[in-house]
Amino acid sequence: QVQLVESGGGLVQPGGSLRLSCAASGYSYDHFGIGWFRQAPGKEREGVSCISSMDGSTYYAESVKGRFTISRGNAKNTVYLQMNSLKPEDTAVYYCATDRYLYCSSYDFRNPGRYNYWGQGTQVTVSS
């Protein structure tokens, strides 16, 4: 059974930074696509970024491009989301998830339906 655990959320002032971590266990495939999503109260879940292990390709939503960076960790099946220049509108619960097709789609990575395993989420609050 695949399990995903997110960590690193918290309260930060506007303009600050946070680094989220996603650790996947029980994952038996050689490759993965891992995406980050976020959901603010009263809003739909929004795809933020995705990384494919096969070729290292990365994708970002326009709202975070240039501010967020997704990367792989040294530990197998660990992915980070470095978030800089945070804004109040970035406040949400952030989730990581595994793409059921084992890679990120350049045009469809924001579709939650592509993802089959999800973590429990970590809260990010950007406020002064």
Side-chain angles (χ1 to χ4, degrees), residues 26-114:
Y27 193 85
S28 59
Y29 298 104
D30 291 335
H31 299 291
F32 64 76
I34 288 183
W36 282 98
F37 286 74
R38 64 186 182 186
Q39 189 165 21
K43 295 189 176 181
E44 292 187 353
R45 191 164 294 192
E46 173 190 18
V48 173
S49 184
C50 193
I51 185 166
S52 291
S53 66
M54 190 177 299
D55 60 2
S57 56
T58 58
Y59 306 97
Y60 298 94
E62 285 298 321
S63 58
V64 305
K65 199 172 289 185
R67 299 188 298 123
F68 290 11
T69 303
I70 192 170
S71 63
R72 292 183 62 182
N74 291 329
K76 187 180 179 183
N77 299 337
T78 299
V79 169
Y80 299 108
L81 186 68
Q82 177 67 43
M83 306 187 297
N84 299 329
S85 302
L86 283 162
K87 305 175 182 180
E89 50 264 43
D90 294 318
T91 296
V93 178
Y94 283 71
Y95 302 88
C96 63
T98 54
D99 190 296
R100 69 179 70 246
Y101 302 110
L102 311 185
Y103 72 96
C104 303
S105 167
S106 61
Y107 60 89
D108 203 28
F109 73 95
R110 302 187 67 190
N111 175 14
R114 281 189 65 94

